[in-house]
Amino acid sequence: MRATFIAAELQSAKDAGLYRQLRLVEGEQGPLLILDGREVINFSSNNYLGIANHPALAAAAKAAIDRYGCGSGASRLISGNMTLHEELESKLAEFKSTQAALVFNSGFQANIGILSTLAGEGDVILSDALNHASIIDGCRLSKAQTLVYAHCDLNGLEAGLKQTASARRRLIVTETIFSMDGDEVPLAAIVELAEKYDAMVMVDEAHGTGVFGANGAGVVAKLGLASRVLIQMGTLGKALGGFGAYVAGSRELCDLLINRCRSFIFTTSLPPAVMAMALAAIDLVQSEPQRREALQRNCQKLKKGLSRLGFELGRSESPILPLIVGDAARCMALSAALLERGVFAQGIRPPTVPVGTSRLRITSMATHSDAQIDRALNVFEEVKRQWLPITTS
Ligand SMILES: Cc1ncc(COP(=O)(O)O)c(C=O)c1O
């Protein structure tokens, strides 16, 4: 069979302005990148604290390889449960103020696995409209009824809870810092609703961990809600600078996942070097609050500068600034115009964001210099002046 549909699918993505291509980064991940052969200032990374290339992480990874070797050789339940997996889980539990934690190979695998373990037929998942693709796919995989409430809409959530009183179990799932909008969920109010209607709460702290809370433990910690949120999920690949993910919660929750969660059970466990990097990263996050302060300063400088230029940046309260353009093709053209001038701010299109809300997702890093931010603001100004089709909505 000649699979002509492949070329047709690619063409239709191109026609819709939705065709995606990989770009090549040579060298390290930092505030400056060599992208497709050119040096650019990087405003498109989740390496918010700038530790992805920190010598402490590299040294920990090298020492782990020397001591434990490279691969783990098997899944956790066979022979792949190594010393560093358990060390990291103890450290994560302490970091997140929970009884236990469990490491997953990625945030995507964690979300699909946790949701499909905790909810099934006869259950209801109440999910924010802007939740990440991995949460959406976890809801689908679970076979539970999924009610999607409007973004951060507490009335909509409460209506959903009232309407599903007869369900076997109900689970509310939300990001704490939304990945493409950077706004913070009203978590205390959600927890109260959950308690009032006897529902479970699961949070995705992919973009909160490392950035919020006194020790960088995230939004749940900042609000003192650790004992009232049943499932705290997060990743090790964003502010923590490495790779992988975790869930933090009760010992029973982790034991249930060890027994039932297919994306935990049926996969080779992460290698020792990755665990060692995460251990070193948590130490850095806890002991160097100045990184969060620098991130906050850079974020405010960029935000103020872009607002002064007349760009609308939504309700972000985090290092993620969405500059909404609307149309996908125009968004990519704006991103390309910036890139030509040495500023990398990735355009984000459907299905990552809803149709008509294509945007630049501009992210700050603790390690951006003032000069780099000033340079970027000059470029934004120049592009706005010379390339006028930007009317942000
Ligand atoms: C909110 C959110 N959850 C989960 C994930 C997936 O995490 P990972 O990259 O570790 O698979 C991401 C990453 O893109 C994310 O933004």
Side-chain angles (χ1 to χ4, degrees):
M1 180 191 167
R2 255 193 82 230
T4 49
F5 79 95
I6 295 176
E9 292 259 341
L10 290 171
Q11 192 55 50
S12 88
K14 284 179 186 164
D15 293 345
L18 298 176
Y19 186 68
R20 297 166 186 239
Q21 271 171 301
L22 297 172
R23 299 181 205 274
L24 179 67
V25 173
E26 291 167 74
E28 291 186 355
Q29 291 287 344
L32 293 175
L33 282 186
I34 307 296
L35 189 73
D36 292 337
R38 282 179 54 226
E39 186 177 82
V40 296
I41 313 174
N42 180 11
F43 291 95
S44 292
S45 176
N46 302 316
N47 174 22
Y48 304 116
L49 299 175
I51 64 174
N53 56 0
H54 194 286
L57 270 68
K62 286 174 194 160
I65 289 175
D66 287 345
R67 179 147 184 214
Y68 298 103
C70 294
S72 69
S75 63
R76 292 282 297 276
L77 280 168
I78 308 295
S79 59
N81 183 38
M82 301 175 76
T83 309
L84 290 179
H85 293 99
E86 298 214 350
E87 257 180 50
L88 178 59
E89 285 168 351
S90 299
K91 187 150 201 140
L92 281 164
E94 199 188 315
F95 184 45
K96 293 279 170 176
S97 304
T98 57
Q99 206 179 21
L102 194 65
V103 168
F104 279 79
N105 288 15
S106 75
F108 202 103
Q109 281 179 256
N111 277 337
I112 60 171
I114 296 164
L115 286 161
S116 57
T117 301
L118 297 183
E121 272 171 47
D123 300 328
V124 172
I125 301 176
L126 298 112
S127 177
D128 188 286
L130 295 189
N131 276 341
H132 188 258
S134 54
I135 298 177
I136 296 171
D137 287 2
C139 293
R140 290 175 178 154
L141 198 59
S142 74
K143 301 202 181 84
Q145 180 194 353
T146 301
L147 289 187
V148 176
Y149 58 91
H151 180 49
C152 289
D153 176 10
L154 295 171
N155 293 331
L157 173 58
E158 182 158 23
L161 286 164
K162 280 187 180 151
Q163 174 192 324
T164 54
S166 62
R168 184 178 62 163
R169 290 194 291 268
R170 289 173 302 169
L171 188 161
I172 303 168
V173 58
T174 181
E175 296 178 34
T176 55
I177 300 296
F178 284 86
S179 62
M180 296 297 139
D181 289 74
D183 54 335
E184 183 178 324
V185 76
L187 189 60
I190 287 185
V191 167
E192 275 177 23
L193 282 177
E195 287 170 351
K196 182 169 167 194
Y197 291 96
D198 194 25
M200 302 178 274
V201 177
M202 169 172 167
V203 297
D204 177 334
E205 287 257 51
H207 300 276
T209 301
V211 177
F212 291 91
N215 286 324
V219 173
V220 171
K222 181 183 85 169
L223 300 174
L225 291 171
S227 62
R228 294 167 69 192
V229 171
L230 187 68
I231 307 133
Q232 299 185 52
M233 170 273 172
T235 65
L236 304 169
K238 301 187 193 297
L240 296 184
F243 183 69
Y246 59 85
V247 64
S250 67
R251 185 67 258 160
E252 280 184 347
L253 170 71
C254 295
D255 287 343
L256 180 66
L257 292 167
I258 290 170
N259 278 275
R260 296 272 169 79
C261 179
R262 294 169 68 84
S263 66
F264 174 85
I265 298 169
F266 297 104
T267 190
T268 302
S269 65
L270 286 173
V274 172
M275 301 292 95
M277 269 159 27
L279 282 158
I282 296 171
D283 280 342
L284 272 183
V285 163
Q286 289 180 316
S287 63
E288 296 191 354
Q290 62 272 26
R291 287 181 183 277
R292 274 185 295 289
E293 287 155 19
L295 176 62
Q296 185 61 18
R297 261 197 318 278
N298 286 347
C299 210
Q300 288 310 321
K301 181 175 166 74
L302 186 64
K303 193 172 175 179
K304 275 195 197 127
L306 289 170
S307 303
R308 218 176 299 118
L309 294 174
F311 292 108
E312 289 277 343
L313 298 167
R315 299 191 302 121
S316 171
E317 292 142 284
S318 73
I320 303 163
L321 297 178
L323 192 161
I324 309 286
V325 176
D327 176 69
R330 285 186 46 229
C331 178
M332 296 319 284
L334 173 57
S335 179
L338 292 164
L339 192 59
E340 234 168 68
R341 292 160 175 83
V343 171
F344 181 34
Q346 178 66 41
I348 307 285
R349 297 164 282 177
T352 311
V353 293
V355 173
T357 71
S358 289
R359 70 204 54 196
L360 299 185
R361 177 180 184 270
I362 307 168
T363 52
S364 295
M365 291 172 64
T367 44
H368 280 134
S369 67
D370 279 346
Q372 286 163 348
I373 299 172
D374 288 335
R375 165 89 191 115
L377 289 170
N378 286 339
V379 167
F380 270 97
E381 187 173 19
E382 184 188 321
V383 167
K384 189 159 194 236
R385 232 183 314 108
Q386 293 179 1
W387 190 86
L388 265 173
I390 319 166
T391 39
T392 59
S393 52

